Amino acid sequence: MKIYLRPITLDDGAMIVKWRNSSDVSSHCFDKKPITMKSNEAFYKAYVETGKYKQFIVERIEESFGVSSYSIATVYLKDFDKVNNRCELCIFTSDDQEWNTESQSIAVRLLLEKAFVEYGVHKVYTFVFADNKDEVGLMYNAGLSKEAVLIKEALNSAGDYVDVLRMSIMAEDYKKEEKHE
């Protein structure tokens, strides 16, 4: 499986709106409000165009019958703290069958590479619902470790407050991990 990240464009809006409004996808989000093409465009102009968010479309390259690629998800870095040299990693799941454990792992590693190598941050962190074993496992697999448990931090899709893990990885730990692969 070959995966790569390409910068998101405004033309990706319809796909983003479709993915984000899927109940399977929104159940992973802290903000579960549906989005519209208009709200997505406003978000894009305020955050992506300004560089506040570094957002990418995850593309799968298919080589079975010639080379083609297609979008399977989006990932991004946000809240760049230039004083403390850190940012937040976010994965935006999709309901595409290709957005599976293997493709997610590759996409997270590619995003970490961008954070540490291209953007030169010192620390990357993320927030994950503590009871979402797949996402917690994905982050552990990518080298992040549990930093804190935020008790009853966010509402789940059933409307209950649940614990959230803050997970992180430092640049030096990322570099050690990459040397062992």
Side-chain angles (χ1 to χ4, degrees):
M1 172 182 310
K2 291 188 178 180
I3 299 290
Y4 75 97
L5 304 182
R6 69 161 172 83
I8 196 166
T9 68
L10 190 55
D11 291 339
D12 294 315
M15 186 171 51
I16 296 295
V17 170
K18 176 184 175 258
W19 288 342
R20 175 57 179 76
N21 290 336
S22 158
S23 61
D24 288 341
V25 174
S26 66
S27 69
H28 295 265
C29 301
F30 291 148
D31 183 354
K32 296 177 183 9
K33 281 186 305 206
I35 64 171
T36 64
M37 287 296 291
K38 186 176 179 178
S39 68
N40 184 69
E41 182 176 350
F43 173 89
Y44 182 87
K45 290 180 184 291
Y47 295 98
V48 178
E49 279 185 354
T50 61
K52 292 178 183 174
Y53 281 36
K54 308 292 187 190
Q55 189 167 3
F56 303 91
I57 293 293
V58 180
E59 295 273 334
R60 171 157 182 178
I61 299 171
E62 181 58 55
E63 297 177 309
S64 300
F65 304 102
V67 178
S68 64
S69 69
Y70 52 96
S71 305
I72 60 173
T74 183
V75 294
Y76 56 99
L77 300 168
K78 70 176 193 170
D79 297 337
F80 284 84
D81 177 344
K82 297 198 185 292
V83 173
N84 297 297
N85 205 21
R86 62 184 179 185
C87 66
E88 182 178 349
L89 177 148
C90 299
I91 62 170
F92 189 115
T93 62
S94 78
D95 52 8
D96 191 293
Q97 66 185 7
E98 300 297 337
W99 186 235
N100 55 37
T101 303
E102 183 181 6
S103 61
Q104 290 172 0
S105 182
I106 294 167
V108 169
R109 288 187 179 279
L110 290 171
L111 193 59
L112 286 172
E113 180 179 342
K114 285 188 172 296
F116 292 122
V117 176
E118 192 172 325
Y119 305 126
V121 299
H122 155 73
K123 179 180 189 175
V124 175
Y125 60 91
T126 192
F127 297 95
V128 180
F129 286 111
D131 62 353
N132 188 324
K133 303 302 180 206
D134 290 340
E135 284 186 26
V136 171
L138 172 66
M139 294 304 157
Y140 277 129
N141 186 44
L144 284 81
S145 57
K146 182 170 68 173
E147 191 172 62
V149 178
L150 306 172
I151 306 299
K152 295 188 178 185
E153 182 71 8
L155 290 169
N156 66 11
S157 53
D160 299 319
Y161 284 99
V162 295
D163 297 350
V164 170
L165 299 182
R166 177 175 158 133
M167 301 181 76
S168 66
I169 184 170
M170 306 294 213
E172 59 266 19
D173 296 328
Y174 167 79
K175 290 173 185 164
K176 285 179 196 170
E177 284 238 350
E178 290 304 300
K179 288 181 181 174
H180 289 103
E181 290 190 351

